[in-house]
PDB file of all heavy atoms in Angstrom:
ATOM      1  N   ALA A  51     -15.692   6.842   8.738  1.00 97.00           N
ATOM      2  CA  ALA A  51     -16.978   6.230   9.089  1.00 97.00           C
ATOM      3  C   ALA A  51     -17.037   5.793  10.579  1.00 97.00           C
ATOM      4  O   ALA A  51     -18.058   5.968  11.228  1.00 97.00           O
ATOM      5  CB  ALA A  51     -17.227   4.984   8.187  1.00 97.00           C
ATOM      6  N   ARG A  52     -15.901   5.312  11.062  1.00 97.00           N
ATOM      7  CA  ARG A  52     -15.838   4.917  12.464  1.00 97.00           C
ATOM      8  C   ARG A  52     -15.632   6.067  13.390  1.00 97.00           C
ATOM      9  O   ARG A  52     -16.224   6.086  14.547  1.00 97.00           O
ATOM     10  CB  ARG A  52     -14.722   3.870  12.601  1.00 97.00           C
ATOM     11  CG  ARG A  52     -14.236   3.582  14.081  1.00 97.00           C
ATOM     12  CD  ARG A  52     -15.409   3.043  14.938  1.00 97.00           C
ATOM     13  NE  ARG A  52     -14.972   2.733  16.311  1.00 97.00           N
ATOM     14  CZ  ARG A  52     -14.930   3.659  17.310  1.00 97.00           C
ATOM     15  NH1 ARG A  52     -15.260   4.878  17.067  1.00 97.00           N
ATOM     16  NH2 ARG A  52     -14.483   3.319  18.475  1.00 97.00           N
ATOM     17  N   PHE A  53     -14.759   6.985  13.102  1.00 97.00           N
ATOM     18  CA  PHE A  53     -14.348   8.016  14.082  1.00 97.00           C
ATOM     19  C   PHE A  53     -15.004   9.428  13.844  1.00 97.00           C
ATOM     20  O   PHE A  53     -14.831  10.334  14.677  1.00 97.00           O
ATOM     21  CB  PHE A  53     -12.853   8.126  14.168  1.00 97.00           C
ATOM     22  CG  PHE A  53     -12.193   6.902  14.658  1.00 97.00           C
ATOM     23  CD1 PHE A  53     -11.639   5.965  13.782  1.00 97.00           C
ATOM     24  CD2 PHE A  53     -12.143   6.509  16.022  1.00 97.00           C
ATOM     25  CE1 PHE A  53     -11.044   4.768  14.198  1.00 97.00           C
ATOM     26  CE2 PHE A  53     -11.539   5.414  16.505  1.00 97.00           C
ATOM     27  CZ  PHE A  53     -11.028   4.489  15.583  1.00 97.00           C
ATOM     28  N   GLY A  54     -15.618   9.556  12.664  1.00 95.00           N
ATOM     29  CA  GLY A  54     -16.281  10.806  12.418  1.00 95.00           C
ATOM     30  C   GLY A  54     -15.411  11.851  11.702  1.00 95.00           C
ATOM     31  O   GLY A  54     -14.183  11.650  11.592  1.00 95.00           O
ATOM     32  N   PRO A  55     -16.030  12.924  11.172  1.00 94.00           N
ATOM     33  CA  PRO A  55     -15.273  13.928  10.395  1.00 94.00           C
ATOM     34  C   PRO A  55     -14.298  14.766  11.220  1.00 94.00           C
ATOM     35  O   PRO A  55     -13.466  15.407  10.644  1.00 94.00           O
ATOM     36  CB  PRO A  55     -16.426  14.818   9.879  1.00 94.00           C
ATOM     37  CG  PRO A  55     -17.599  14.652  10.797  1.00 94.00           C
ATOM     38  CD  PRO A  55     -17.496  13.190  11.259  1.00 94.00           C
ATOM     39  N   GLU A  56     -14.403  14.660  12.534  1.00 95.00           N
ATOM     40  CA  GLU A  56     -13.489  15.484  13.374  1.00 95.00           C
ATOM     41  C   GLU A  56     -12.047  14.975  13.281  1.00 95.00           C
ATOM     42  O   GLU A  56     -11.132  15.671  13.738  1.00 95.00           O
ATOM     43  CB  GLU A  56     -13.884  15.574  14.786  1.00 95.00           C
ATOM     44  CG  GLU A  56     -14.241  14.216  15.470  1.00 95.00           C
ATOM     45  CD  GLU A  56     -15.680  13.729  15.265  1.00 95.00           C
ATOM     46  OE1 GLU A  56     -16.364  14.168  14.407  1.00 95.00           O
ATOM     47  OE2 GLU A  56     -16.063  12.811  16.067  1.00 95.00           O
ATOM     48  N   VAL A  57     -11.787  13.805  12.659  1.00 96.00           N
ATOM     49  CA  VAL A  57     -10.409  13.307  12.592  1.00 96.00           C
ATOM     50  C   VAL A  57      -9.925  13.570  11.129  1.00 96.00           C
ATOM     51  O   VAL A  57      -8.845  13.021  10.782  1.00 96.00           O
ATOM     52  CB  VAL A  57     -10.232  11.816  12.988  1.00 96.00           C
ATOM     53  CG1 VAL A  57     -10.627  11.635  14.497  1.00 96.00           C
ATOM     54  CG2 VAL A  57     -11.069  10.875  12.107  1.00 96.00           C
ATOM     55  N   ILE A  58     -10.670  14.256  10.334  1.00 96.00           N
ATOM     56  CA  ILE A  58     -10.300  14.571   8.958  1.00 96.00           C
ATOM     57  C   ILE A  58     -10.166  16.068   8.824  1.00 96.00           C
ATOM     58  O   ILE A  58     -11.073  16.807   9.240  1.00 96.00           O
ATOM     59  CB  ILE A  58     -11.388  14.078   7.945  1.00 96.00           C
ATOM     60  CG1 ILE A  58     -11.669  12.535   8.169  1.00 96.00           C
ATOM     61  CG2 ILE A  58     -10.892  14.271   6.521  1.00 96.00           C
ATOM     62  CD1 ILE A  58     -10.601  11.594   7.918  1.00 96.00           C
ATOM     63  N   VAL A  59      -9.064  16.524   8.268  1.00 95.00           N
ATOM     64  CA  VAL A  59      -8.880  17.915   8.013  1.00 95.00           C
ATOM     65  C   VAL A  59      -8.483  18.134   6.563  1.00 95.00           C
ATOM     66  O   VAL A  59      -7.439  17.495   6.100  1.00 95.00           O
ATOM     67  CB  VAL A  59      -7.808  18.600   8.887  1.00 95.00           C
ATOM     68  CG1 VAL A  59      -7.476  19.988   8.547  1.00 95.00           C
ATOM     69  CG2 VAL A  59      -8.236  18.496  10.379  1.00 95.00           C
ATOM     70  N   ASP A  60      -9.203  18.901   5.780  1.00 94.00           N
ATOM     71  CA  ASP A  60      -8.931  19.202   4.410  1.00 94.00           C
ATOM     72  C   ASP A  60      -8.777  17.899   3.582  1.00 94.00           C
ATOM     73  O   ASP A  60      -7.903  17.716   2.745  1.00 94.00           O
ATOM     74  CB  ASP A  60      -7.694  20.050   4.232  1.00 94.00           C
ATOM     75  CG  ASP A  60      -7.831  21.405   4.854  1.00 94.00           C
ATOM     76  OD1 ASP A  60      -8.971  21.935   4.840  1.00 94.00           O
ATOM     77  OD2 ASP A  60      -6.889  21.967   5.328  1.00 94.00           O
ATOM     78  N   GLY A  61      -9.631  16.906   3.895  1.00 94.00           N
ATOM     79  CA  GLY A  61      -9.604  15.638   3.140  1.00 94.00           C
ATOM     80  C   GLY A  61      -8.565  14.663   3.559  1.00 94.00           C
ATOM     81  O   GLY A  61      -8.447  13.588   2.958  1.00 94.00           O
ATOM     82  N   ALA A  62      -7.735  14.978   4.596  1.00 96.00           N
ATOM     83  CA  ALA A  62      -6.641  14.150   5.019  1.00 96.00           C
ATOM     84  C   ALA A  62      -6.799  13.757   6.499  1.00 96.00           C
ATOM     85  O   ALA A  62      -7.486  14.508   7.238  1.00 96.00           O
ATOM     86  CB  ALA A  62      -5.288  14.805   4.818  1.00 96.00           C
ATOM     87  N   LEU A  63      -6.184  12.697   6.904  1.00 96.00           N
ATOM     88  CA  LEU A  63      -6.277  12.243   8.252  1.00 96.00           C
ATOM     89  C   LEU A  63      -5.580  13.260   9.214  1.00 96.00           C
ATOM     90  O   LEU A  63      -4.392  13.678   8.973  1.00 96.00           O
ATOM     91  CB  LEU A  63      -5.640  10.904   8.422  1.00 96.00           C
ATOM     92  CG  LEU A  63      -5.698  10.260   9.803  1.00 96.00           C
ATOM     93  CD1 LEU A  63      -7.128  10.027  10.247  1.00 96.00           C
ATOM     94  CD2 LEU A  63      -4.945   8.888   9.762  1.00 96.00           C
ATOM     95  N   ASP A  64      -6.220  13.683  10.250  1.00 96.00           N
ATOM     96  CA  ASP A  64      -5.607  14.477  11.334  1.00 96.00           C
ATOM     97  C   ASP A  64      -5.064  13.527  12.363  1.00 96.00           C
ATOM     98  O   ASP A  64      -5.799  13.086  13.270  1.00 96.00           O
ATOM     99  CB  ASP A  64      -6.744  15.422  11.967  1.00 96.00           C
ATOM    100  CG  ASP A  64      -6.123  16.335  12.974  1.00 96.00           C
ATOM    101  OD1 ASP A  64      -5.052  16.101  13.538  1.00 96.00           O
ATOM    102  OD2 ASP A  64      -6.859  17.357  13.294  1.00 96.00           O
ATOM    103  N   ARG A  65      -3.782  13.159  12.235  1.00 94.00           N
ATOM    104  CA  ARG A  65      -3.234  12.161  13.075  1.00 94.00           C
ATOM    105  C   ARG A  65      -3.263  12.528  14.566  1.00 94.00           C
ATOM    106  O   ARG A  65      -3.545  11.688  15.375  1.00 94.00           O
ATOM    107  CB  ARG A  65      -1.744  11.855  12.621  1.00 94.00           C
ATOM    108  CG  ARG A  65      -1.796  11.156  11.289  1.00 94.00           C
ATOM    109  CD  ARG A  65      -0.344  10.878  10.802  1.00 94.00           C
ATOM    110  NE  ARG A  65      -0.487  10.277   9.504  1.00 94.00           N
ATOM    111  CZ  ARG A  65      -0.871   8.990   9.251  1.00 94.00           C
ATOM    112  NH1 ARG A  65      -1.203   8.287  10.321  1.00 94.00           N
ATOM    113  NH2 ARG A  65      -1.003   8.527   8.079  1.00 94.00           N
ATOM    114  N   PRO A  66      -2.884  13.764  14.946  1.00 93.00           N
ATOM    115  CA  PRO A  66      -2.960  14.102  16.348  1.00 93.00           C
ATOM    116  C   PRO A  66      -4.300  13.937  16.957  1.00 93.00           C
ATOM    117  O   PRO A  66      -4.535  13.457  18.095  1.00 93.00           O
ATOM    118  CB  PRO A  66      -2.456  15.567  16.359  1.00 93.00           C
ATOM    119  CG  PRO A  66      -1.583  15.685  15.209  1.00 93.00           C
ATOM    120  CD  PRO A  66      -2.288  14.819  14.134  1.00 93.00           C
ATOM    121  N   ALA A  67      -5.382  14.372  16.211  1.00 94.00           N
ATOM    122  CA  ALA A  67      -6.716  14.268  16.710  1.00 94.00           C
ATOM    123  C   ALA A  67      -7.103  12.739  16.869  1.00 94.00           C
ATOM    124  O   ALA A  67      -7.726  12.323  17.893  1.00 94.00           O
ATOM    125  CB  ALA A  67      -7.745  14.892  15.700  1.00 94.00           C
ATOM    126  N   LEU A  68      -6.768  11.916  15.895  1.00 96.00           N
ATOM    127  CA  LEU A  68      -7.042  10.479  16.016  1.00 96.00           C
ATOM    128  C   LEU A  68      -6.239   9.853  17.135  1.00 96.00           C
ATOM    129  O   LEU A  68      -6.775   9.065  17.863  1.00 96.00           O
ATOM    130  CB  LEU A  68      -6.680   9.785  14.661  1.00 96.00           C
ATOM    131  CG  LEU A  68      -7.075   8.302  14.635  1.00 96.00           C
ATOM    132  CD1 LEU A  68      -8.552   8.045  14.815  1.00 96.00           C
ATOM    133  CD2 LEU A  68      -6.603   7.750  13.288  1.00 96.00           C
ATOM    134  N   GLY A  69      -5.020  10.291  17.252  1.00 92.00           N
ATOM    135  CA  GLY A  69      -4.175   9.787  18.404  1.00 92.00           C
ATOM    136  C   GLY A  69      -4.768  10.085  19.750  1.00 92.00           C
ATOM    137  O   GLY A  69      -4.760   9.148  20.650  1.00 92.00           O
ATOM    138  N   ARG A  70      -5.310  11.268  19.912  1.00 91.00           N
ATOM    139  CA  ARG A  70      -5.965  11.561  21.166  1.00 91.00           C
ATOM    140  C   ARG A  70      -7.082  10.678  21.469  1.00 91.00           C
ATOM    141  O   ARG A  70      -7.360  10.266  22.629  1.00 91.00           O
ATOM    142  CB  ARG A  70      -6.402  13.054  21.187  1.00 91.00           C
ATOM    143  CG  ARG A  70      -5.250  14.069  21.368  1.00 91.00           C
ATOM    144  CD  ARG A  70      -5.683  15.447  21.543  1.00 91.00           C
ATOM    145  NE  ARG A  70      -6.419  15.990  20.414  1.00 91.00           N
ATOM    146  CZ  ARG A  70      -5.811  16.653  19.393  1.00 91.00           C
ATOM    147  NH1 ARG A  70      -4.475  16.765  19.327  1.00 91.00           N
ATOM    148  NH2 ARG A  70      -6.504  17.134  18.430  1.00 91.00           N
ATOM    149  N   VAL A  71      -7.866  10.259  20.463  1.00 93.00           N
ATOM    150  CA  VAL A  71      -9.004   9.411  20.628  1.00 93.00           C
ATOM    151  C   VAL A  71      -8.505   7.969  20.996  1.00 93.00           C
ATOM    152  O   VAL A  71      -8.940   7.356  22.007  1.00 93.00           O
ATOM    153  CB  VAL A  71      -9.932   9.337  19.378  1.00 93.00           C
ATOM    154  CG1 VAL A  71     -10.983   8.280  19.520  1.00 93.00           C
ATOM    155  CG2 VAL A  71     -10.470  10.740  19.128  1.00 93.00           C
ATOM    156  N   VAL A  72      -7.640   7.435  20.109  1.00 92.00           N
ATOM    157  CA  VAL A  72      -7.347   5.991  20.333  1.00 92.00           C
ATOM    158  C   VAL A  72      -6.395   5.697  21.517  1.00 92.00           C
ATOM    159  O   VAL A  72      -6.498   4.642  22.013  1.00 92.00           O
ATOM    160  CB  VAL A  72      -6.741   5.426  19.015  1.00 92.00           C
ATOM    161  CG1 VAL A  72      -7.716   5.585  17.878  1.00 92.00           C
ATOM    162  CG2 VAL A  72      -5.436   6.025  18.661  1.00 92.00           C
TER     163      VAL A  72
END
Side-chain angles (χ1 to χ4, degrees):
R52 164 59 180 86
F53 296 99
E56 54 271 17
V57 300
I58 309 294
V59 174
D60 297 328
L63 183 61
D64 182 343
R65 292 180 181 285
L68 183 60
R70 286 189 292 273
V71 173
V72 301

